[in-house]
Amino acid sequence: MEKDRVVESYAWVYGWKVKDGKCAPPAKNHPLPEFAQKRIDWVSDAIQNRMLTFRGAFKMLLEIDDEKELKKEWDFGASSDYMPVSDEYRNWLNDPILGDIRSVALMIAVIYG
């Protein structure tokens, strides 16, 4: 079971493929968990609507320890509702062994969609 979690997490970063002669990013080949994808979609929409920079998006995805401060910053400049960090997302991202590689997977998913 532990090996499967490790293999899956690394596939989210290194699972690039070529499909129909085009580069396909890992999230297209190895989908992230639904709760993570929902948060990615939330920040991606904000980026597309020019409410959030990449740095701001990464903060909303990765720097989740002080949620009160995150919500305050979101409410200051956004025109949509803040998305609270779910316990499932928090536990997944804060995994002591796989948290760092999962952080990279989130960044890759935002950049390459």
Side-chain angles (χ1 to χ4, degrees):
M1 181 71 162
E2 187 69 28
K3 182 180 176 184
D4 292 341
R5 288 182 38 216
V6 172
V7 170
E8 177 182 52
S9 294
Y10 276 79
W12 292 325
V13 172
Y14 298 107
W16 294 84
K17 293 187 178 182
V18 176
K19 291 185 179 179
D20 299 324
K22 295 181 182 178
C23 186
K28 301 290 183 189
N29 306 310
H30 308 281
L32 290 160
E34 185 178 340
F35 57 85
Q37 190 60 54
K38 283 183 181 180
R39 196 152 185 91
I40 290 166
D41 293 345
W42 172 65
V43 298
S44 294
D45 286 344
I47 291 169
Q48 290 174 0
N49 290 318
R50 298 185 180 167
M51 293 186 299
L52 199 58
T53 63
F54 276 117
R55 187 178 189 293
F58 296 148
K59 183 172 189 167
M60 292 295 156
L61 289 171
L62 305 174
E63 298 175 25
I64 59 173
D65 291 335
D66 187 355
E67 190 159 15
K68 185 177 179 181
E69 183 64 23
L70 283 180
K71 183 175 182 343
K72 180 179 165 186
E73 288 182 25
W74 182 267
D75 290 342
F76 178 74
S79 61
S80 66
D81 292 335
Y82 175 75
M83 176 185 236
V85 179
S86 70
D87 289 339
E88 190 173 28
Y89 181 88
R90 186 179 308 281
N91 292 335
W92 179 81
L93 185 60
N94 289 331
D95 184 289
I97 296 169
L98 300 171
D100 287 342
I101 196 75
R102 289 174 177 172
S103 295
V104 174
L106 293 169
M107 291 185 278
I108 290 171
V110 168
I111 294 168
Y112 296 101

